[in-house]
Amino acid sequence: QQQVKQSPQSLIVQKGGISIINCAYENTAFDYFPWYQQFPGKGPALLIAIRPDVSEKKEGRFTISFNKSAKQFSLHIMDSQPGDSATYFCAASRGNYQLIWGAGTKLIIKP
Amino acid sequence: DAGITQSPRHKVTETGTPVTLRCHQTENHRYMYWYRQDPGHGLRLIHYSYGVKDTDKGEVSDGYSVSRSKTEDFLLTLESATSSQTSVYFCATTTGQNTEAFFGQGTRLTVV
């Protein structure tokens, strides 16, 4: 019930392509779904977040798609660049202080 | 990094010894968190604090204790370190529930 399942574990995309990372959850009480980006040797940093009252949120090249009925949400990175190479984490919380994190996706953008 | 400093950045310690990790913030954020990060597990919450002297357990709190005597400092103590506590530890802060979390640079702890 508390898990957030993230896939794939790793992803290689050509420069200019679309990177897609998926997450699924079970707990319907979750009401906040952020995505974090982490570079080696650094702490995670918030990339974009969505609440379940909207189906899509876009910030620049980054878009979250949210499917409430399927209990899934995904991150799309358009026109992927080598600088986007990082580990991406989805997470979810239910109005408290505890973020439940996915296992992470290591994204490599090939020039 | 939103003024969050963790110390030490790296530590090697022996099994059975006590270890204290420090998190210091200059943002005056009310909420502070300690996470551990392990391959294949993402980040897991150890303990969090919602104010001075107010703390609560996260999902992996066994073997860990915390203290927060000032708004800016949040200490994580491993009472008797074990090899299973070898990990990268991150401190984070937020201004409230369901808000952006700001992370420190992490502490890599190795228990031998």
Side-chain angles (χ1 to χ4, degrees), chain A residues 25-93:
Chain A
Y25 63 97
E26 289 295 323
N27 190 340
T28 55
F30 286 147
D31 61 358
Y32 176 66
F33 302 89
W35 284 90
Y36 281 79
Q37 180 188 56
Q38 184 179 29
F39 293 105
K42 303 287 188 182
L46 181 67
L47 192 61
I48 186 172
I50 198 168
R51 298 181 194 273
D53 52 344
V54 298
S55 60
E56 186 175 282
K57 184 175 181 179
K58 185 175 180 179
E59 289 185 3
R61 296 184 293 108
F62 300 91
T63 300
I64 298 179
S65 297
F66 185 81
N67 186 330
K68 190 172 182 178
S69 60
K71 291 185 284 186
Q72 294 176 350
F73 59 110
S74 60
L75 176 69
H76 292 64
I77 305 174
M78 311 300 288
D79 187 27
S80 299
Q81 299 297 312
D84 297 331
S85 296
T87 300
Y88 292 81
F89 293 94
C90 63
S93 73

Side-chain angles (χ1 to χ4, degrees), chain A residues 2 6 9 31-34 36 38-39 41-47 51 87 89 92-104, chain B residues 1 9 30-31 33 35 37-45 48 50 57-59 90 94 96-106:
Chain A
Q2 281 288 85
Q6 183 172 345
Q9 275 189 311
D31 61 358
Y32 176 66
F33 302 89
Y36 281 79
Q38 184 179 29
F39 293 105
K42 303 287 188 182
L46 181 67
L47 192 61
R51 298 181 194 273
T87 300
F89 293 94
S93 73
R94 53 181 175 86
N96 61 8
Y97 308 103
Q98 298 206 30
L99 270 175
I100 308 299
W101 296 74
Chain B
D1 291 324
R9 294 290 315 279
R30 177 178 174 183
Y31 305 96
Y33 311 79
Y35 288 93
Q37 183 174 37
D38 304 289
H41 289 276
L43 282 84
R44 292 180 290 175
L45 183 65
Y48 63 95
Y50 44 95
K57 296 179 180 180
E59 62 178 303
F90 284 99
T94 66
Q97 297 178 26
N98 288 353
T99 59
E100 180 177 0
F102 297 92
F103 284 83
Q105 298 267 56

Side-chain angles (χ1 to χ4, degrees), chain B residues 57-90:
Chain B
K57 296 179 180 180
E59 62 178 303
V60 291
S61 59
D62 287 349
Y64 302 94
S65 62
V66 290
S67 65
R68 190 169 178 201
S69 58
K70 297 185 288 185
T71 298
E72 57 266 36
D73 291 325
F74 193 32
L75 304 181
L76 176 71
T77 298
L78 290 65
E79 304 290 346
S80 177
T82 68
S83 59
S84 65
Q85 293 176 313
T86 291
S87 186
V88 179
Y89 291 85
F90 284 99

